[in-house]
Amino acid sequence: MSARDLFTFSNPHFTRGVGITAAILVVTAIVGFIVLPFAQPWVQFANVWDAICSAAGVPQRAASVAAPAQDKRLSEVVLTSSTLSRPSQEAIGRGATLAQRCAICHGPTGVSRADSPNLAGQYAAVIYKELHDFRSGARTNAVMSPFAVNLTDQEIADLSNYYAYLPRLPAYHPTPQLPKPNIVIFGAPMRGIAPCGSCHGSLDNKTGSPWLEGQSEAYMKAQLQAFASGERRNDISQQMRNIARAMTPQEIEQAAAYYASQPPDVVKAVD
Amino acid sequence: MLVNRKLILAHFWLAFGVFGIALTLGAWQMFIRSPIGTWLSNPELYYRSLTAHGTVMGYVFPTLVAMGFGYAISESALQQRLVGVRWAWAGFWLIVAGSIMAVIPIALGRASVLYTFYPPLIGNVFYYLGVVLVVVGSWIWVALMSINLRVWRKANPGAAVPLAMFANVAGSYLWAWTAVGAALELLLQIIPVAAGLKATIDAGLARVFFSWTLHAIVYFWLMPTYIAYYTIVPRAIGGRVYSDSMARISFILFLVVAMPIGMHHTFADPQVGAGFKFIHSAFTALVALPTLLTVFTICASVEIAARLRGGRGMFGWIKTLPWDNPMMLALAFSFVMLGFGGAGGLINMSYQLDASIHNTQWITGHFHLIFGGAIVIMYFAIAYDLWPHLTGRELIDLRLIRTQLWLWFIGMIVTTFPWHWVGILGMPRRMAYFDFGDPAIAPQALSVTLSAIGGFILLTSGILFLVVLARGMRAPQADAGPYRFAVAVHQPVIVPVALNTHALWVALMIALTLTNYGYPILTLALTEGTSVPAVYVGAQ
C-alpha cells in the first residue's frame, strides 16, 4: 500500500477517479465557455476565442466614448476616513491666523451669530471638502466664493485642521431640546430616504458628512431647499439631492428644527 | 478507549457555552427586528450583535465540536491513546485566546463587520487576529488527526482504517484546505489595511477568496453530523451500516467536490466571469450526490434495525423503529430539515433561480435550516451519546432530552419557513430595521413575528440542552463501557488502497481548486486599479 500503487494507471480507482473528474470539468468548461456564450443571441462574438475570453472574465478596456459634456462643475474632492486625521500643531497655528478673515461671519470662536454654519469642532474632512468645492465652483455662494477662490491647498488643509481643533461650544440661539422626529431617526424607507441620523450623527457618522447639532435652523432649511431644487449640487452622486427632493416641506422643517435645538456636545457621544 | 476525557470535555463545554451565548444574541436579533420589538434607534448595536453571533456560530462553535469529536473518534476508533496531547491543549488554548481577542473589539463596537468580513469595511485589527488564532488552533487538530492515523497505520500495516476515523481525517483535510481562502484574504488583504499599512483594498478579490472558504466550510460543519449518521445512529438504534464502501465513497466525494463550488455565492458579483460561475454551479449540483448516497444508505441501515426488531411490509417497518430513542428522533428531524434545506440549496445554486432570492432573507432562512437545523441537532445527539462515556455518569432524563430535540425541531421549522417566505417576497437580509407600519411591507409582519417566536422556542431548547448536560455532570456514577461505533453488514477486511487513504482525493481537491479558482484569482490580483479606499468601522 504505497503511493506508487495508488497513483498509477493500473489502479482502476485512480483511472476512474481522475478520468471522471476531468471529463466533468471538460464538459462543464465547454458548456460554460463556448455553448452558453453563443446561446445569447443579444451578444455578438467575433470568434470562439472572443467568447471564451468573455466568459472567463478577461478584463477588457471599455470602448473609448467621450464623456457627456458637463455644463456645471462637479465636486472633485476625494475623501477617505483618514483624510486630515493627524494634524500637526503648526498646521493648526497657521489655520488660526488664516481664520481671522472668516470670523466676521463664522464668529471669532467658530460659533456664528449670523445664521452661517458654526465651524468650531466640525470634522476637518467636511470643511476641507466645502472649501475645495467653493474654490472650484462646484458650490457657489455670493459671500463664500470670493473668499475661497484664492486659497491654496495648504491653506484649505490648515483652516480645516484649525476649526476641527476648536472645542464644540453651545450655539448662540438656545432653544428647548426637541424630541427626535421620524425623519431623523427612521428616515422614510419607502421613499428611499435613509435616516438623517445614520450619516449626520444621532445614530452614526459617515465620512464627509458634517455633524449638525446646534447649527442655524435657517441655514439648514435653506440648504435642504437648495439641494431639492438642484441649486446646490456638490454632493457626490446626488446623495443629498435625492434625499432632499423626496422630503416633504414639513420633514425639512422638522429636521432643521430638531438639529438646531440640540447642544453640540452630544456629538461626542457618537464619535 | 477514551483516555483524554478532560480534553474532549473541555472542547465540548467551550463549544456549547459559547453556543448558548450566541443563541441568546440570535433570539434577541430576531425579536428586535420583528414587529413585536421596539426599534433600537441604533443599528450599530444590531450589527455588533450580528457579528458576535456569526463569528461564534460560524467559526468557534462548529470547529470546537469537530475537534472534540475528532479526538474522541481518534482514541476510540483506533483504540490508541491520542498522540500529541500537549499540542491538542495548545490548540484549545489558542482558540480560547483567539475568541477572547476577537470578542473584545466586537463588544466595543470596533468590528461590526459581520463574520463574513465584507471588505472594504474594515474593523479593528485584533478582531481579525483573533479569528486567525482560532483557525491556527484548529490546524493543530488537523495535523494531530493526520499524525494519529499515521501512527496507527504503522502499528497495523494493511488494515482497513475504521470508517469513523477515515471520515474524520477527510473532514480535517477538507477544513485545512478550505480555510486557506479566508486565511489568504485576512493575511494578504484585510490585516495589512486594518493594521494601517495600506489604505485601499481590492474588495472583489477579497470576496473571491472568501467564497473559497465560505461554501466548503459548510461541509466541514457537516462532517461530524455525517459521521454520526454512519457510525453512531445504526449502533444506537440496534441496526447495522448498510454499506461501508458507500460511506467511504460519500466522504471522498465531499472531499473532492465540496471545494471548487464557492463561486455560487458570487453570482451577483461583476468581477467573476460567467463561464466560471457556470462551472461552479455545475459542481455544486454534484455535491448533492454524496448527500443522496448518504440518505439512501442511512435509510437502508435504519430499515435493517427495524426488520431486526420484527418490522414487516413495504413501509410497516417504520412503526417498529425505536422512536423513544433520542438518536432515532434526532436522525429523523435532521433528515426532514436536510430535505427541505437541500431543496432550497438547489435553488440557490441555480444561476437563474438564485437571481430571485439572492441577498434576501431566503438565504438566511436556508443556512439556518441546514446548519442550525440538520447539522446542529446531530451535534446535540453526538453530545448525548458521548456524555456518559466522558463523565462516567448516566444521562437519565430521556424525556427531557426528547423534549429538547422536539423543541429544537419545531423551533427551527417555525423560525425558518416564514423566513424563506419573506425572502421570496423580497425582504433583504442584513437589515437592522423594518418599518412594518408601511402598507408595502405590512403583510410580512405576521411571518416575521412567527419567525421571532420560533427564535424563542430555539432559545428554550438550547437552555434545556445545557441543563441536560450540566445535570449529566452530577448524575450518579455508572460505567458506560467502551465507546463503540456502528458495525457494517459486511465489515471491511481488505479495503482498496484508494478507499483506505486520502492522498488521491486530496490531490483531486487541490487540482480542482486550481482549475476553478486559479484564473479568476490571478486576473483579479494582476489587474491594476481595482482597489477602493477602506471604510473603517467607527471612524468619522
Side-chain angles (χ1 to χ4, degrees):
Chain A
M1 240 195 349
S2 70
R4 242 182 320 165
D5 302 331
L6 184 59
F7 290 93
T8 162
F9 286 103
S10 58
N11 175 0
H13 286 102
F14 175 78
T15 330
R16 275 184 229 152
V18 175
I20 294 173
T21 312
I24 293 173
L25 184 65
V26 169
V27 171
T28 52
I30 291 173
V31 175
F33 287 98
I34 301 171
V35 178
L36 287 181
F38 281 109
Q40 309 170 67
W42 58 92
V43 193
Q44 295 294 316
F45 295 106
N47 50 42
V48 174
W49 183 244
D50 192 23
I52 292 174
C53 289
S54 160
V58 179
Q60 288 167 336
R61 292 239 160 267
S64 54
V65 180
Q70 282 292 341
D71 51 341
K72 292 177 174 154
R73 290 200 69 99
L74 298 175
S75 179
E76 286 158 1
V77 183
V78 177
L79 291 179
T80 67
S81 46
S82 51
T83 303
L84 303 181
S85 57
R86 290 185 186 83
S88 67
Q89 292 298 313
E90 290 78 16
I92 293 169
R94 286 194 302 269
T97 314
L98 290 165
Q100 304 272 334
R101 64 178 104 163
C102 316
I104 189 163
C105 293
H106 293 285
T109 56
V111 177
S112 167
R113 299 185 172 201
D115 283 342
S116 316
N118 303 328
L119 299 180
Q122 186 54 273
Y123 300 121
V126 170
I127 300 171
Y128 175 85
K129 176 178 187 312
E130 297 308 317
L131 284 175
H132 269 283
D133 285 348
F134 276 122
R135 189 177 71 175
S136 71
R139 184 177 177 188
T140 51
N141 176 282
V143 183
M144 266 312 290
S145 296
F147 274 100
V149 77
N150 292 322
L151 291 175
T152 64
D153 287 354
Q154 179 68 56
E155 286 169 339
I156 289 180
D158 292 345
L159 277 167
S160 309
N161 284 328
Y162 167 67
Y163 276 118
Y165 160 83
L166 288 183
R168 285 169 192 155
L169 297 172
Y172 173 63
H173 22 236
T175 46
Q177 244 175 288
L178 296 173
K180 289 174 180 163
N182 278 351
I183 192 74
V184 169
I185 214 73
F186 302 134
M190 299 315 291
R191 278 180 282 144
I193 305 180
C196 310
S198 63
C199 295
H200 290 287
S202 298
L203 299 178
D204 200 0
N205 271 299
K206 300 283 156 59
T207 303
S209 315
W211 55 261
L212 302 174
E213 282 83 353
Q215 299 290 1
S216 148
E217 182 176 347
Y219 174 77
M220 285 189 284
K221 204 169 138 186
Q223 293 310 307
L224 280 169
Q225 285 161 346
F227 276 126
S229 68
E231 190 190 323
R232 183 175 164 186
R233 50 178 196 284
N234 68 324
D235 51 331
I236 291 162
S237 306
Q238 305 212 13
Q239 8 183 3
M240 273 313 297
R241 274 173 286 178
N242 283 329
I243 288 171
R245 271 197 290 266
M247 286 170 82
T248 62
Q250 211 184 1
E251 283 168 342
I252 289 184
E253 274 178 24
Q254 282 175 343
Y258 163 75
Y259 276 111
S261 73
Q262 300 300 306
D265 52 331
V266 302
V267 178
K268 281 179 190 140
V270 292
D271 262 356
Chain B
M1 176 172 146
L2 283 168
V3 182
N4 288 290
R5 296 176 190 188
K6 249 190 198 163
L7 175 76
I8 299 162
L9 266 179
H11 281 79
F12 278 141
W13 266 122
L14 182 61
F16 296 130
V18 292
F19 163 78
I21 297 169
L23 183 66
T24 314
L25 289 178
W28 175 78
Q29 286 156 216
M30 300 293 290
F31 169 72
I32 209 72
R33 199 158 38 86
S34 76
I36 40 177
T38 336
W39 162 229
L40 258 182
S41 298
N42 187 354
E44 205 281 319
L45 282 178
Y46 176 82
Y47 292 114
R48 205 182 284 198
S49 169
L50 191 53
T51 308
H53 176 80
T55 305
V56 168
M57 295 299 208
Y59 300 136
V60 183
F61 165 57
T63 309
L64 282 167
V65 170
M67 289 169 74
F69 190 37
Y71 293 132
I73 290 173
S74 179
E75 289 206 326
S76 46
L78 299 183
Q79 295 290 322
Q80 149 189 310
R81 285 179 79 107
L82 187 72
V83 178
V85 178
R86 279 190 194 175
W87 281 100
W89 278 111
F92 174 79
W93 287 111
L94 269 180
I95 292 187
V96 172
S99 305
I100 294 171
M101 196 192 260
V103 155
I104 291 173
I106 297 176
L108 292 174
R110 290 293 166 186
S112 305
V113 295
L114 311 198
Y115 88 110
T116 36
F117 304 147
Y118 292 114
L121 214 52
I122 296 290
N124 186 288
V125 68
F126 287 102
Y127 168 67
Y128 304 111
L129 291 176
V131 174
V132 169
L133 282 191
V134 170
V135 173
V136 171
S138 71
W139 279 347
I140 293 182
W141 166 75
V142 172
L144 285 179
M145 290 301 97
S146 183
I147 290 168
N148 276 280
L149 181 58
R150 188 165 295 219
V151 169
W152 182 86
R153 271 192 216 280
K154 263 200 185 145
N156 302 272
V161 176
L163 176 62
M165 190 61 181
F166 181 79
N168 178 33
V169 174
S172 76
Y173 289 156
L174 179 64
W175 169 240
W177 184 241
T178 192
V180 169
L184 288 174
E185 183 194 6
L186 284 172
L187 298 177
L188 299 179
Q189 295 198 279
I190 291 179
I191 290 179
V193 181
L197 304 174
K198 268 173 68 183
T200 60
I201 186 163
D202 188 339
L205 177 59
R207 289 175 61 87
V208 171
F209 274 137
F210 198 76
S211 81
W212 167 331
T213 294
L214 190 53
H215 204 71
I217 197 175
V218 178
Y219 293 98
F220 164 63
W221 298 339
L222 200 77
M223 281 295 179
T225 295
Y226 272 51
I227 295 174
Y229 285 165
Y230 280 110
T231 66
I232 298 181
V233 173
R235 185 258 296 148
I237 63 168
R240 288 193 156 212
V241 181
Y242 178 68
S243 164
D244 181 81
S245 311
M246 194 83 102
R248 284 170 198 262
I249 291 171
S250 298
F251 286 109
I252 283 169
L253 280 174
F254 273 128
L255 200 50
V256 176
V257 291
M259 219 356 266
I261 63 176
M263 276 187 194
H264 69 254
H265 290 247
T266 61
F267 277 161
D269 282 31
Q271 80 278 15
V272 181
F276 282 103
K277 287 177 183 168
F278 176 77
I279 293 184
H280 281 246
S281 179
F283 273 88
T284 316
L286 281 181
V287 95
L289 209 61
T291 294
L292 294 175
L293 282 181
T294 301
V295 171
F296 174 81
T297 313
I298 298 305
C299 285
S301 312
V302 169
E303 188 180 339
I304 291 173
R307 301 239 180 248
L308 285 174
R309 295 165 64 92
R312 293 276 174 275
M314 180 94 102
F315 295 106
W317 55 269
I318 296 175
K319 276 185 298 192
T320 55
L321 285 170
W323 288 108
D324 55 345
N325 184 328
M327 193 56 76
M328 187 65 232
L329 215 51
L331 175 76
F333 292 153
S334 180
F335 267 24
V336 171
M337 293 190 278
L338 188 68
F340 282 110
L346 292 178
I347 290 171
N348 302 345
M349 57 129 261
S350 324
Y351 193 80
Q352 288 82 352
L353 290 174
D354 173 75
S356 57
I357 42 93
H358 198 90
N359 264 346
T360 66
Q361 300 274 13
W362 165 285
I363 302 296
T364 356
H366 165 74
F367 66 70
H368 277 85
L369 183 56
I370 279 273
F371 175 45
I375 295 177
V376 168
I377 206 165
M378 290 309 289
Y379 289 0
F380 297 154
I382 291 169
Y384 288 145
D385 197 58
L386 267 174
W387 222 246
H389 298 270
L390 295 173
T391 57
R393 293 158 200 273
E394 208 179 350
L395 284 184
I396 3 173
D397 215 342
L398 286 187
R399 182 183 293 234
L400 197 60
I401 291 178
R402 283 195 294 267
T403 313
Q404 189 267 324
L405 293 171
W406 268 106
L407 279 181
W408 191 261
F409 175 66
I410 295 169
M412 197 48 83
I413 298 287
V414 173
T415 306
T416 57
F417 279 34
W419 220 348
H420 280 81
W421 171 243
V422 293
I424 296 174
L425 296 180
M427 181 179 267
R429 65 189 281 208
R430 305 188 196 104
M431 291 285 157
Y433 167 69
F434 291 97
D435 179 8
F436 292 102
D438 195 284
I441 59 167
Q444 297 169 16
L446 178 66
S447 305
V448 178
T449 308
L450 277 177
S451 254
I453 293 170
F456 285 109
I457 301 177
L458 289 173
L459 181 60
T460 315
S461 172
I463 294 170
L464 277 187
F465 172 65
L466 293 175
V467 167
V468 171
L469 293 193
R471 280 170 61 169
M473 304 295 288
R474 283 183 292 140
Q477 291 200 339
D479 182 20
Y483 192 71
R484 293 184 302 108
F485 293 97
V487 181
V489 174
H490 301 287
Q491 265 302 80
V493 182
I494 300 171
V495 180
V497 59
L499 298 186
N500 207 28
T501 56
H502 301 88
L504 172 59
W505 316 112
V506 170
L508 275 179
M509 168 177 83
I510 294 175
L512 279 178
T513 310
L514 294 180
T515 57
N516 290 8
Y517 271 105
Y519 181 78
I521 288 178
L522 267 187
T523 16
L524 287 171
L526 297 177
T527 309
E528 300 216 343
T530 50
S531 292
V532 291
V535 178
Y536 295 95
V537 171
Q540 201 287 113

